[in-house]
Amino acid sequence: MRSHLLNDTTAERYRRTATAAVERVADKLAATDRPFTGITPEQLAPRFDAIDLDRPLGDITSALDELESVYLRDAVYFHHPRYLAHLNCPVVIPAVAAEAVLSAVNSSLDTWDQSAGATLIERRLVDWTTARIGFGTNAETGADGVFTSGGSQSNLQALLLAREEAKTTDSAKLRVFASECGHFSVQKSAKLLGLSPEAVIAIPCDGDKRMQTVALARELARCAKEGLVPMAVVATAGTTDFGSIDPLPEIAELCELYGTWMHVDAAYGCGLLASRSRPHLLDGIEKADSVTVDYHKSFFQPVSSSALLVRDGATLRHATYHADYLNPRRMAEERIPNQVDKSLQTTRRFDALKLWMTLRTMGADGVGELFDEVCDLAADGWQLLAGDPRYDVVVQPTLSTLVFRYIPADVTSPAVIDRANLYARKALFASGDAVVAGTKVGGKHYLKFTLLNPETTLTDIAAVLDLIAGHAEQYLGESLVHAS
């Protein structure tokens, strides 16, 4: 029905509808007293089964009422201070305002004739980020980049560029080196790019969960001796599990020695680009060939907001395809700025507006202050864990992640300890009192706090640790009863 389209004749309807939706969400955010309700898939699914999508409700109030029942009531709320699980952040208000603007205008960031100023905003933000990385701007050095849907897509495009720049056309010989703590998207990207199953070589990490450069040097030398081609080294600046940062300067030296593309996955650690107290942790990133950043992690932006940045903008040509109906070659000759020339995507949201509004409202220092706060909190949380006999904590945090597990006072088997920690995480999620993540370290089950909410306090951390211990002790107690 045309009356629902957003145009000049429905401006008042749009204003009323958007206001109703905003007020509904604002009320829900204000009333949320825990990060999750604990609802299970089996409990929630019947609500959807009862909905007939071929019978519309007819008005926005009814639709919002239904949405409350099927989504808002039981959503996982990242803004709650006891959501401590994954790399999800509460979002800053200027970025939310930008979402309202970009969704309503609906610019597409593929060609100039669909975006106009939106293209220039994205390009200016790419310049801003490349300058912060140390690549310089496009006008100064030729550095460039493009916004993407997320870190996985950014990593995929980086490895595509590395493959095309490699000194062989025999993909069976190409090898990619990444830390054993690196992101799984490296392996997935290698498969998508048609590389051999043996293409990705995992490099062991040291006790701080950083790539061992001695091991990297050994593997690079071995591959060269065997006639294989080191296509890329993927260094991580902020691993998903530990927040660890690989030794970037040493890795850069090895990449230069072997003529290998250096990619830095800084999807998590990119917040250091705005930090006033920790920017030195990214020393060496300026020597990379490409860098992944996820603004929707440590820049507190709504999903999605990511970018791939490259030191040499000419390498982005490997993603270029000229279509006569969209971006014919003559447009490049006429210097018309079409972002699709750099992107794996065609139609693409104006996600850059969120970061633009954030920087124009809060400034980089404002963003950096938020990230520094969560990193400081993680340092305090580590002190708390290290002094708590109930817990074994893996490594002192570099960023804002804590990995630990409950250890009972009475001696029991490692398998029982594993089950107690798994039970505690599941029981905590079911209660809705807090949400934490889990991972494996050395084959053993551990729990994980990913701290990206500046509203979270040390008191929250201590309370959640008590809850975890309580659930684990309950499991161990019940296990003893059943065993007897």
Side-chain angles (χ1 to χ4, degrees):
M1 294 184 291
R2 291 182 182 178
S3 62
H4 289 288
L5 289 174
L6 180 54
N7 54 50
D8 58 347
T9 63
T10 60
E12 184 55 35
R13 180 195 294 266
Y14 164 60
R15 186 177 291 109
R16 290 197 309 268
T17 302
T19 300
V22 168
E23 289 179 347
R24 183 73 63 113
V25 173
D27 289 344
K28 189 64 184 177
L29 292 175
T32 298
D33 60 359
R34 53 183 178 156
F36 185 48
T37 63
I39 198 167
T40 66
E42 293 77 17
Q43 292 169 328
L44 188 56
R47 298 184 199 169
F48 291 87
D49 295 338
I51 293 173
D52 184 352
L53 290 176
D54 291 319
R55 299 183 64 181
L57 297 172
D59 67 275
I60 193 65
T61 300
S62 298
L64 286 171
D65 289 342
E66 181 184 81
L67 187 66
E68 173 82 22
S69 171
V70 299
Y71 173 59
L72 291 174
R73 182 184 304 166
D74 300 295
V76 179
Y77 284 100
F78 304 149
H79 77 284
H80 193 278
R82 293 190 184 178
Y83 177 86
L84 308 171
H86 303 288
L87 280 164
N88 308 119
C89 59
V91 294
V92 292
I93 291 175
V96 178
E99 279 280 10
V101 174
L102 71 92
S103 295
V105 179
N106 202 31
S107 298
S108 181
L109 260 291
D110 41 343
T111 57
W112 172 259
D113 64 359
Q114 299 176 74
S115 61
T119 285
L120 301 184
I121 284 176
E122 176 168 301
R123 289 193 166 202
R124 184 69 182 276
L125 288 171
V126 164
D127 257 4
W128 179 84
T129 309
T130 57
R132 291 250 165 180
I133 288 170
F135 287 170
T137 66
N138 185 261
E140 295 167 344
T141 64
D144 207 346
V146 68
F147 272 60
T148 71
S149 65
S152 292
Q153 184 188 332
S154 295
N155 288 343
L156 172 62
Q157 184 165 352
L159 290 177
L160 167 67
L161 304 184
R163 186 191 68 182
E164 298 303 296
E165 291 288 311
K167 300 177 177 64
T168 182
T169 57
D170 185 355
S171 62
K173 291 185 176 181
L174 295 174
R175 294 293 181 268
V176 177
F177 307 83
S179 127
E180 62 183 354
C181 296
H183 197 262
F184 69 87
S185 61
V186 176
Q187 286 82 0
K188 183 183 283 190
S189 296
K191 184 174 184 178
L192 290 172
L193 292 170
L195 304 186
S196 72
E198 304 82 27
V200 179
I201 298 173
I203 305 300
C205 290
D206 60 20
D208 293 324
K209 305 303 178 183
R210 305 168 77 224
M211 184 190 292
Q212 293 184 22
T213 52
V214 172
L216 174 62
R218 184 169 59 245
E219 287 297 323
L220 286 166
R222 180 184 65 80
C223 285
K225 184 177 180 180
E226 294 177 3
L228 301 172
V229 179
M231 173 184 127
V233 174
V234 179
T236 309
T239 59
T240 304
D241 272 348
F242 305 102
S244 49
I245 299 176
D246 290 333
L248 304 180
E250 292 89 340
I251 293 171
E253 289 180 10
L254 287 169
C255 288
E256 184 176 5
L257 179 64
Y258 285 91
T260 302
W261 184 280
M262 179 182 173
H263 175 62
V264 177
D265 179 358
Y268 178 8
C270 64
L272 296 170
L273 296 173
S275 168
R276 286 192 284 184
S277 62
R278 295 171 171 84
H280 60 280
L281 294 176
L282 288 181
D283 285 351
I285 197 171
E286 72 280 356
K287 297 183 179 180
D289 294 286
S290 56
V291 175
T292 287
V293 299
D294 272 8
Y295 306 109
H296 60 229
K297 289 186 172 69
S298 47
F299 272 73
F300 305 94
Q301 299 295 292
V303 174
S304 59
S305 185
S306 179
L308 172 70
L309 297 314
V310 294
R311 184 150 48 93
D312 179 4
T315 59
L316 291 173
R317 72 186 184 281
H318 299 306
T320 303
Y321 184 89
H322 291 288
D324 288 339
Y325 78 93
L326 186 69
N327 62 327
R329 193 177 300 275
R330 62 175 174 77
M331 285 189 171
E333 295 168 354
E334 295 170 11
R335 303 180 69 83
I336 295 173
N338 290 326
Q339 292 297 87
V340 72
D341 296 348
K342 310 171 186 180
S343 177
L344 298 184
Q345 297 170 268
T346 305
T347 302
R348 187 160 55 83
R349 299 179 82 239
F350 182 23
D351 286 316
L353 183 61
K354 294 176 286 192
L355 180 60
W356 179 270
M357 289 296 287
T358 299
L359 293 179
R360 299 307 297 145
T361 304
M362 298 171 54
D365 286 347
V367 174
E369 181 179 331
L370 295 177
F371 191 54
D372 283 337
E373 283 186 34
V374 295
C375 292
D376 289 341
L377 176 64
D380 292 340
W382 179 80
Q383 293 281 1
L384 187 66
L385 276 163
D388 191 331
R390 300 174 298 178
Y391 291 100
D392 170 44
V393 59
V394 177
V395 66
Q396 189 168 355
T398 302
L399 298 179
S400 63
T401 302
L402 296 167
V403 180
F404 59 94
R405 74 182 195 145
Y406 174 80
I407 302 292
D410 295 330
V411 177
T412 187
S413 72
V416 171
I417 296 174
D418 271 358
R419 291 196 293 271
N421 280 274
L422 287 171
Y423 176 86
R425 181 190 176 198
K426 185 176 180 180
L428 189 62
F429 187 65
S431 74
D433 292 328
V435 183
V436 304
T439 190
K440 276 190 169 183
V441 182
K444 299 175 182 178
H445 288 282
Y446 277 74
L447 303 175
K448 182 171 66 169
F449 290 166
T450 306
L451 306 173
L452 278 179
N453 189 345
E455 295 298 316
T456 302
T457 66
L458 199 60
T459 301
D460 289 311
I461 292 176
V464 175
L465 290 176
D466 286 342
L467 290 170
I468 291 169
H471 289 303
E473 288 160 9
Q474 178 184 4
Y475 173 81
L476 292 170
E478 292 174 356
S479 297
L480 286 173
V481 170
H482 293 150
S484 61

